[in-house]
Amino acid sequence: MKRINYVKGLVMLMVVAMVMVSTSCKKDKKTYQAKVRNSCEITLLGLPFMKYNIKDFSLGDIKFGAVAKGEDSEYKDIESDTEYAVSITYDIYLYDANTFQWEFDRTETADLGTEEWSDSEDSDKFILKVEVGDILQGYKPIFNTYIAN
């Protein structure tokens, strides 16, 4: 009789071990899509003043590549519950009012913080709109995330 109880106990232990090994506590990540929109132009008294052409925009390891002023990138897949470091490399152009043309000034790189999506977002597509910050931000690029319609 003791041998049967020993075997039952061993079988129960194996069943519990199999359930624990096969059960994951991790949440499944949800996949979304995001694109970058370059809205980087400043006007002064209605006249063009400065614009940025994005040479490279990155969300962690995801690279969006070059995005000219007024353009959008292609959509890229992103995952929920992942913190993405946001970085940008951009060309700065100043407007020459004498020649009425944009003139290249310099190239800069900046870290823009982080962005993260939850697994309960209201949409599955997003736009990261990059703009030129105001004078208080030293005209550095800033971005806001919007739901794509």
Side-chain angles (χ1 to χ4, degrees), residues 95-141:
Y95 192 74
D96 186 346
N98 295 324
T99 63
F100 303 108
Q101 292 184 351
W102 290 104
E103 293 185 358
F104 174 77
D105 186 49
R106 64 189 179 278
T107 300
E108 291 194 9
T109 299
D111 293 325
L112 302 180
T114 59
E115 185 71 2
E116 184 174 0
W117 288 265
S118 71
D119 61 351
S120 60
E121 297 290 344
D122 293 335
S123 178
D124 62 344
K125 290 190 176 190
F126 298 90
I127 298 171
L128 288 93
K129 185 177 180 183
V130 182
E131 300 174 300
V132 179
D134 61 22
I135 193 166
L136 297 174
Q137 295 151 335
Y139 298 114
K140 298 289 183 191

Side-chain angles (χ1 to χ4, degrees), residues 1 6 14-15 17 21 31 41 50-51 60 78 86 101 144 148:
M1 196 63 151
Y6 179 71
M14 288 176 53
V15 168
V21 168
T31 301
E41 184 173 348
M50 179 188 312
K51 75 174 181 175
I78 54 173
V86 181
Q101 292 184 351
N144 291 299

Side-chain angles (χ1 to χ4, degrees), residues 34-39 54 64-75 126-130 148:
K35 70 178 177 179
V36 176
R37 176 170 292 157
N38 184 348
S39 297
I54 299 171
F64 288 88
V67 184
K69 190 259 161 217
E71 300 290 324
D72 289 358
S73 71
E74 297 293 322
Y75 278 104
F126 298 90
I127 298 171
L128 288 93
K129 185 177 180 183
V130 182

Side-chain angles (χ1 to χ4, degrees), residues 11-49:
V11 168
M12 285 293 282
L13 184 63
M14 288 176 53
V15 168
V16 169
M18 286 177 31
V19 168
M20 290 184 72
V21 168
S22 65
T23 304
S24 174
C25 293
K26 280 186 170 181
K27 287 194 304 185
D28 290 335
K29 292 187 177 192
K30 192 170 179 183
T31 301
Y32 297 114
Q33 291 190 320
K35 70 178 177 179
V36 176
R37 176 170 292 157
N38 184 348
S39 297
C40 296
E41 184 173 348
I42 295 178
T43 58
L44 189 62
L45 300 173
L47 297 172
F49 173 64

